[in-house]
Amino acid sequence: MTLTTNPVLKQLPVYQPGRPIEEVARELGLPAADIIKLASNENPLGPSKKAIAAMRKAVTQVHLYPDGNSFYVKLKLAEKLGVSPANLILGSGSNEVLELIGHALLSPDAEVVVSEYCFAVYPIVTALFGSKLVVVPAKDYGHDLPAMLNAITPNTRVVFVANPNNPTGTSVTAGQLTEFVKAVPEHVLVARDEAYIEFLENALDLVPEIRAGKRNLLLMRTFSKIHGLAGLRLGYGIGHPEFIADLEKIRQPFNINAVAQAAALAALDDTVHPEKTRKNNTRGLKLYARSFRKMKLEYVPSAANFILVRVGDGQRVFTELQKLGVITRPMGGYKLPEWIRISVGTTKENQRCLEALKQVLGMAT
């Protein structure tokens, strides 16, 4: 007898994150301080000063276990959203909430509906539980909601909709999303990924649907982007109390560490930092769009904090940019081999990235 692992693992895709600065520095022999990372849609302004102060204080107590129920974080979120703490599930990043959905709803006879060019973790979670992934062709690189609705069968258990979408930055209209959520059968969970919702102008707020008792809707958000706390890993889901209670049974104890809880509480009190982040992001997106038009490069207009641009051989351009100290994200893994994704940085970082891109593409600077 030999050790045998779950056969699902043989076909399980592996998530490839944006490359860390330290790793690129070691590999290419570059000073880490000279490298900029525009690969993982992080907040270029960093965390709120209030969050930093709260983290410093919390570090002195890390010999103690954290609050296993994240009581105060849930309470403050509930007050902010106008829901009950019973409507909230916290995860180590919203990725953990995605996995909790799998544990609760997926099995080998289940189906999951996603859009083409969806976030890589949706297929991974689907494969992990042996379920069938139903991929609906994209429309203008974004969700074709009517086609996704038509793809739902009696075996469908989850439909994932990211708005804005990662990695394309596309968004659907409020009207389209409202009609879709209402039309999805009650046996199917609408898992709306709202990781980038704070960057979306006139975003549809579906929290009132949760307040009204809608059972087959789960909204997922994160502190990683607008609050600049990606390194702490904190996300949350908003849903019906009965479904949330089932997810709580699956959630690992102490999954939200004490430093993350302290930072989240302080970040929620800081309304200035998110607004600065949004303004910086708007400036950055306009700069990239204007520059790509001048460079005659195709791009996808973005509603998030990153932008997708067609550069020819995406892997080559990604590699050459790294040599110039600029880390972006190649899109071959998303079946977009001619594209790279660039996160919005500070104005200085954005300008440096554009100059490097011109150099790699052989354009005059």
Side-chain angles (χ1 to χ4, degrees), residues 96-138:
E96 185 182 19
V97 180
L98 295 175
E99 185 178 342
L100 295 179
I101 291 172
H103 282 290
L105 295 175
L106 299 185
S107 60
D109 60 350
E111 295 178 359
V112 174
V113 174
V114 300
S115 176
E116 187 181 14
Y117 314 132
C118 69
F119 182 40
V121 174
Y122 309 156
I124 291 174
V125 168
T126 303
L128 180 62
F129 295 95
S131 301
K132 178 183 177 182
L133 186 71
V134 178
V135 181
V136 176

Side-chain angles (χ1 to χ4, degrees), residues 131-160:
S131 301
K132 178 183 177 182
L133 186 71
V134 178
V135 181
V136 176
K139 183 177 182 181
D140 298 326
Y141 298 101
H143 293 70
D144 185 342
L145 292 182
M148 293 178 71
L149 187 62
N150 289 336
I152 292 174
T153 74
N155 292 327
T156 306
R157 292 294 174 266
V158 182
V159 56
F160 286 108

Side-chain angles (χ1 to χ4, degrees), residues 21-100:
I21 289 175
E22 295 78 12
E23 182 178 289
V24 173
R26 288 195 305 269
E27 180 181 299
L28 299 180
L30 299 173
D34 292 346
I35 298 174
I36 60 172
K37 183 185 177 188
L38 302 175
S40 299
N41 309 335
E42 294 147 337
N43 189 326
L45 304 186
S48 153
K49 290 181 179 179
K50 292 183 179 180
I52 292 173
M55 286 186 278
R56 285 176 174 154
K57 183 177 180 180
V59 163
T60 65
Q61 299 294 313
V62 294
H63 61 293
L64 302 175
Y65 281 104
D67 174 2
N69 291 313
S70 303
F71 175 83
Y72 291 106
V73 177
K74 285 184 179 179
L75 186 63
K76 181 159 286 191
L77 272 174
E79 292 173 353
K80 182 181 179 69
L81 296 167
V83 298
S84 164
N87 289 112
L88 299 171
I89 179 79
L90 269 59
S92 179
S94 54
N95 278 7
E96 185 182 19
V97 180
L98 295 175
E99 185 178 342
L100 295 179

Side-chain angles (χ1 to χ4, degrees), residues 202-223:
N202 302 315
L204 174 64
D205 184 8
L206 285 174
V207 174
E209 295 285 337
I210 302 295
R211 293 192 204 109
K214 190 168 182 61
R215 293 176 176 271
N216 67 327
L217 176 64
L218 184 72
L219 311 177
M220 293 168 290
R221 298 182 182 178
T222 181
F223 283 81

